[in-house]
Amino acid sequence: MKAFTIDAKPYPYLLPDQAPALVIIDMQRDFVEPGGFGAALGNDVAPLLAIVPAVRRLLETCRRLGLTIIHTREAHRADLADCPPAKRARGGCKLRIGDVGPMGRLLIDGEAGNAIIPELRPLPGEIELAKPGKGAFYATALHELLQARGISHLLFAGVTTEVCVQTSMREANDRGYECLLVEDATESYFPEFKRATLAMLTAQGGIVGWTATSAQVITALEARYE
Ligand code: TIU
């Protein structure tokens, strides 16, 4: 039988019988729109909005092919019980996690700014996970949800490349998942950090995993699971 692979770096990524899950990290208004947490940290959010069409194409393909889809949000409880004081204090910004910004309380579950952007809003049946950390496995049920579905391969997209995406991919790698980051479906506030992250994940024979473009991923997924 033909082996189906994604043309990826540093070498082809083998697609298993049990399709990978798509994990979209933190495409929430807090990071992608002006007036959110990302902007409060002093960042220009415009580069992050630019990846939305690529993430959307990937999401639509995975939906059509029936893949498991996971959307995460970096979110804290309204009472901040799950936000370490050190995380809240970090950066010494005027607006901190839990403070009221133009889109409601920053990084608080249920606030307007915490919602996933409308273009990528989860559909019924897709998993939406609030996560209190940078990594998607920390203090969430993600590992158990994936294990229950027999999923061993993860395709990552979302923001930001070197913070929540990279942390989540490293957590997944340590738990035994075969991880691929979709290059044009992830972005950083710092272009040089994105470049460095893609390079370090795939260096040393794919020490953390693989990267490929959304076009390469979509072509291979359609060939394998259509
Ligand atoms: N600041 C930054 O680059 N990222 C975060 O704080 N969270 C995520 O990456 N989602």
Side-chain angles (χ1 to χ4, degrees), residues 182-198:
V182 185
E183 294 162 12
D184 52 327
T186 185
E187 195 48 88
S188 168
Y189 300 119
F190 305 88
E192 67 274 28
F193 290 173
K194 175 176 176 177
R195 270 195 301 278
T197 302
L198 296 178

Side-chain angles (χ1 to χ4, degrees), residues 173-186:
N173 187 52
D174 280 347
R175 285 166 176 78
Y177 296 95
E178 302 278 34
C179 300
L180 181 145
L181 175 56
V182 185
E183 294 162 12
D184 52 327
T186 185

